[in-house]
Amino acid sequence: MRNISIVAKVVGVALVMAASSQVMAESKPAAASVTVKNTFELVVAKPLAFGTVRISADPAGTKLATVVVPADVSIAPSATTAAPAAAQILTPGEPGEVTVAGVAAFSNLKIVFPSAAVDLVPAKAAPGSPAFTMNTFEAFITSGTNASKKYAAGTVELTADSEGAAGFNFGATLSTSAVATTQAYQDVEYSGSFPIEVTY
Amino acid sequence: MKKNVLCMWLGVSCLLMATPLTANLYIEEPLLFGTIIIRDNTIPGSVTVPAYGHPSSSGGVLILEPGRPAELIFSDYPPYIELTITPMLPVQTSVVSGDTEQFTLGNIDLPKSIITDSTGVAKVKMGGTLKTSGAGGYYLNTEYKAVFYLDVTY
């Protein structure tokens, strides 16, 4: 009986020692998440308008008359005649306006205009009638740290504000047709579309 | 007869003592890396949410909406013991659907060990770093999740 008690005590102590020195290990699941949003809102709040012009093309398509609408609203639109092509502004045009929202706060954005000229044509045109071409796009920043400056890729960037918004105006140069034609421009609206790309 | 009773008692005791406590891990707040923009995935980039402090990003990653660290509660542990927590990393994220580049969760910002209180509870904040592939592929506009395990020893 006494032996049993001793055995029990020894085993008991051994168990306590074993329990106290036992290392418990377990794995618990956890999770993490992230959301990617590479897109943002870009709205052309106002299209670029060259106004109303009196204009004629060089029948040979050699000389080009131009109408310039600067992106900076403080600079008036101008027309340049190159006889026999001629251009005269009747009602001045206005630069287009673009607003950007939902971008990363204070991020620098690049503006990419078409590298090739864009044609402006009437809704209905007679065969061989002249069109306009639009090129030399430019942007004028209207918000952020570089507000009131002409955009220059790599040097004067479009910068988003603390709310992730930015804005700029854009202008371009309208030229008469460089294609030989015997027809005159019609008294109608000429229009064209082109992409404006804003990227990080 | 008495020996048999003793052996049975010892056997039951051994079983009871070998059974681990039913400890729990409650994730009061999950680890969120927020909403980010992958501006350029041709270079390595990352977003870091520290356990304490402000989220930051590097490389081609921009933060649109900052994330926040997780808040973990370890409960039903013995009182006043040291828990050693080891994240089983790295793991890759996954999406519900779509073919896209994935992130790698390669680092967790967590104290290596914590001490439970008198009630066997320990609270801790957990941050981490998520890395982009940097392989030039495209990331879909969607939510990415990473599931990983925390090894808890005491």
Side-chain angles (χ1 to χ4, degrees):
Chain A
M1 184 62 186
R2 187 167 179 277
N3 284 343
I4 292 172
S5 295
I6 290 169
V7 169
K9 283 178 185 172
V10 170
V11 172
V13 170
L15 281 173
V16 170
M17 288 179 70
S20 63
S21 65
Q22 187 177 10
V23 175
M24 307 294 284
E26 53 197 358
S27 285
K28 300 289 187 184
S33 67
V34 69
T35 301
V36 172
K37 184 174 177 284
N38 285 333
T39 55
F40 52 82
E41 296 169 34
L42 188 150
V43 176
V44 179
K46 195 166 78 176
L48 168 62
F50 286 95
T52 305
V53 295
R54 185 186 70 79
I55 204 157
S56 57
D58 175 8
T62 308
K63 300 284 189 180
L64 304 180
T66 60
V67 175
V68 177
V69 174
D72 182 356
V73 290
S74 67
I75 302 172
S78 60
T80 306
T81 291
Q88 187 178 13
I89 295 172
L90 302 177
T91 307
E94 291 180 328
E97 288 178 18
V98 170
T99 58
V100 176
V103 299
F106 308 115
S107 57
N108 287 340
L109 302 166
K110 292 183 177 65
I111 304 170
V112 182
F113 289 111
S115 55
V118 177
D119 287 340
L120 268 66
V121 296
K124 294 176 182 175
S129 63
F132 292 103
T133 56
M134 181 171 54
N135 54 19
T136 320
F137 296 92
E138 63 172 26
F140 188 78
I141 300 166
T142 56
S143 72
T145 52
N146 287 326
S148 303
K149 289 181 183 173
K150 188 177 175 182
Y151 170 81
T155 53
V156 185
E157 297 276 7
L158 176 65
T159 308
D161 62 16
S162 61
E163 300 297 317
F168 64 91
N169 291 345
F170 63 98
T173 299
L174 184 78
S175 301
T176 53
S177 177
V179 179
T181 179
T182 56
Q183 299 185 42
Y185 284 105
Q186 302 168 52
D187 289 344
V188 293
E189 183 179 274
Y190 287 70
S191 63
S193 62
F194 58 93
I196 297 176
E197 193 179 319
V198 177
T199 61
Y200 286 106
Chain B
M1 180 62 185
K2 282 185 179 176
K3 279 186 182 178
N4 287 340
V5 171
L6 178 66
C7 287
M8 284 175 66
W9 178 81
L10 287 174
V12 171
S13 298
C14 286
L15 281 173
L16 285 172
M17 297 184 83
T19 304
L21 294 167
T22 53
N24 289 306
L25 168 60
Y26 296 105
I27 299 174
E28 197 155 74
E29 295 283 354
L31 174 56
L32 298 179
F33 286 95
T35 303
I36 61 169
I37 297 152
I38 312 298
R39 183 171 54 180
D40 182 3
N41 191 36
T42 60
I43 55 171
S46 67
V47 55
T48 298
V49 174
Y52 298 93
H54 295 290
S56 62
S57 65
S58 69
V61 178
L62 296 175
I63 296 173
L64 194 60
E65 291 169 15
R68 55 175 164 71
E71 290 183 24
L72 310 179
I73 299 176
F74 295 89
S75 70
D76 303 314
Y77 283 90
Y80 306 119
I81 61 157
E82 184 180 40
L83 304 180
T84 302
I85 307 160
T86 309
M88 304 306 286
L89 297 174
V91 294
Q92 278 220 316
T93 58
S94 62
V95 296
V96 173
S97 67
D99 187 15
T100 177
E101 289 291 294
Q102 295 292 344
F103 297 92
T104 302
L105 182 63
N107 181 51
I108 283 294
D109 180 12
L110 192 67
K112 190 154 180 63
S113 64
I114 51 176
I115 307 291
T116 58
D117 63 13
S118 60
T119 61
V121 171
K123 294 181 181 179
V124 67
K125 286 198 172 193
M126 178 180 75
T129 297
L130 209 56
K131 291 180 179 176
T132 59
S133 69
Y138 186 73
Y139 280 90
L140 290 177
N141 293 324
T142 188
E143 186 181 37
Y144 297 74
K145 281 193 173 178
V147 176
F148 58 101
Y149 282 84
L150 297 172
D151 265 12
V152 184
T153 57
Y154 57 95

